Amino acid sequence: MKAPRITDTSLRDGSHPMRHQFSSTQVQAVALALDEAGVPVIEVTHGDGLAGSSLQYGFSATSEMELIAAARVVCRQARIAVLLIPGIGTLKELEQAQECGAQIVRIATQCTEADISQEHFEFAKKLGMEAVGFLMMAHMRSPELLVQQARIMEAAGADCVYVVDSAGAMLPKDAHERVKALKEALGIEVGFHAHNNLGVAIGNSLAALEAGADQLDGCLRGLGAGAGNAPTELLAAVLDKMSLNPGLNIYKLMDAAEYVIAPMMPYQPLPSRDAITIGYAGVYSTFLLHAQRAGERYGIDPRIILTELGRRQAVAGQEDWILDVALELARGSLPT
């Protein structure tokens, strides 16, 4: 095994629990602490990526372009990354982000929709940016199908493709199998992005590393959607004990987590009942509130609704299924 490159996504995935209310001052404090601790890549955008600030996804308190520029100006060695989800962000926002100091773009699609990302990869390369592919909800498809999708991104110009455990639904075996399949099939780097809904974010990250992952993600104090991500400071400590530290200052990361990010956090993400349900069912965390409302309306445990949605492999954009499932359960058409 070799030491992986670490990307800290506190200022992007962490935007979800922060309700997208990061200020420029907060972003600079976090970015500076990460930079001084040796983190090589820092991701900064709305939780749903470029142009995510909207009624549908939640408005940002501060323009993401302002946040990107604020992070860039304090970083001496770290590079700034942004997330782009085709259909939310456009090439226009990507160019603006690059002008504000972004050097890496992580282009995210559902794990079955890599074909919609081609123009985004091509444009990123024209801008001189490093381009990373994100195959979201990767637990929903077999390693073989993920390889097919990853090859589409590789052909479009991706420098790396990530297996993304968006719902925190994977176990170490799942992470290992998917990363191993991509490593054997691709001629580019492979990454892994973990969520902690089932409490195994670090374990899954290590399984991915054992399978050959070149890049891993984390968030300070686990600040991220659902039950959070693999805590960057914990990931660094574990890697150091494995003699695979990629140049991170563990003590500075601990201090950043304790004294910089923790005072900003509205709550500590953890595998609560709701978060566990999301991971167990394998659905997006955005389904939770809708399922709770439907459950209250029809007298159905929302966990049963979410589990059925997971069985049906519902993805973002299929929220209308929630009422259908609740009605079927209320009528006795489905077992409870």
Side-chain angles (χ1 to χ4, degrees), residues 132-153:
V132 177
F134 251 42
L135 291 174
M136 300 188 294
M137 299 295 280
H139 74 279
M140 297 178 67
R141 291 294 182 266
S142 68
E144 293 74 22
L145 288 175
L146 291 179
V147 164
Q148 294 175 13
Q149 296 295 306
R151 281 176 170 157
I152 294 173
M153 289 183 164

Side-chain angles (χ1 to χ4, degrees), residues 21-332:
Q21 299 302 295
F22 276 123
S23 68
S24 294
T25 300
Q26 289 174 321
V27 164
Q28 286 197 324
V30 174
L32 178 61
L34 289 168
D35 184 70
E36 291 181 343
V39 174
V41 181
I42 302 170
E43 188 179 44
V44 185
T45 41
H46 183 282
D48 293 284
L50 294 173
S53 180
S54 62
L55 180 62
Q56 182 177 1
Y57 300 109
F59 289 107
S60 299
T62 306
S63 160
E64 61 190 349
M65 299 305 167
E66 183 178 333
L67 298 181
I68 293 165
R72 184 72 187 92
V73 76
V74 299
C75 289
R76 294 186 177 181
Q77 60 85 28
R79 294 194 291 161
I80 303 302
V82 294
L83 182 77
L84 187 152
I85 301 176
I88 299 177
T90 69
L91 303 184
K92 176 183 176 182
E93 284 86 28
L94 179 55
E95 186 169 20
Q96 290 174 343
Q98 190 266 345
E99 291 171 352
C100 289
Q103 298 140 299
I104 301 169
V105 59
R106 287 147 52 107
I107 301 168
T109 74
Q110 291 291 332
C111 64
T112 56
E113 299 178 350
D115 57 317
I116 69 172
S117 66
Q118 181 173 346
E119 66 173 332
H120 302 82
F121 280 108
E122 292 173 351
F123 189 67
K125 302 313 291 184
K126 287 181 181 178
L127 292 175
M129 302 179 76
E130 179 181 333
V132 177
F134 251 42
L135 291 174
M136 300 188 294
M137 299 295 280
H139 74 279
M140 297 178 67
R141 291 294 182 266
S142 68
E144 293 74 22
L145 288 175
L146 291 179
V147 164
Q148 294 175 13
Q149 296 295 306
R151 281 176 170 157
I152 294 173
M153 289 183 164
E154 180 181 32
D159 298 294
C160 173
V161 176
Y162 264 69
V163 173
V164 182
D165 188 16
S166 312
M170 289 189 194
L171 299 178
K173 179 175 180 289
D174 304 315
H176 188 280
E177 289 176 347
R178 284 158 175 77
V179 170
K180 184 174 184 290
L182 265 62
K183 281 296 296 181
E184 292 177 348
L186 305 181
I188 56 176
E189 292 194 344
V190 175
F192 184 75
H193 178 95
H195 277 267
N196 203 38
N197 294 54
L198 296 178
V200 288
I202 291 293
N204 285 346
S205 297
L206 294 184
L209 187 62
E210 291 174 354
D214 304 284
Q215 301 183 29
L216 296 175
D217 287 2
C219 288
L220 287 173
R221 212 173 174 90
L223 183 66
N229 302 69
T232 304
E233 67 279 10
L234 183 54
L235 186 58
V238 172
L239 289 173
D240 191 73
K241 288 182 71 67
M242 297 173 67
S243 299
L244 294 174
N245 188 336
L248 304 174
N249 187 310
I250 300 169
Y251 295 143
K252 286 187 176 181
L253 283 173
M254 291 179 185
D255 289 344
E258 192 77 13
Y259 302 118
V260 180
I261 202 82
M264 304 177 190
M265 294 168 59
Y267 62 89
Q268 174 64 57
L270 52 80
S272 63
R273 184 184 74 162
D274 291 342
I276 294 170
T277 301
I278 293 297
Y280 177 73
V283 297
Y284 272 116
S285 57
T286 53
F287 282 28
L288 178 62
L289 180 58
H290 299 293
Q292 289 172 334
R293 289 172 175 169
E296 183 178 357
R297 180 177 177 182
Y298 294 104
I300 302 294
D301 188 330
R303 291 173 292 183
I304 298 174
I305 297 173
L306 290 168
T307 301
E308 175 61 20
L309 289 166
R311 188 188 69 78
R312 298 185 185 192
Q313 297 191 330
V315 297
Q318 295 176 325
E319 286 82 358
D320 57 314
W321 287 14
I322 294 173
L323 279 179
D324 293 340
V325 168
L327 276 168
E328 289 181 48
L329 288 166
R331 292 169 179 165

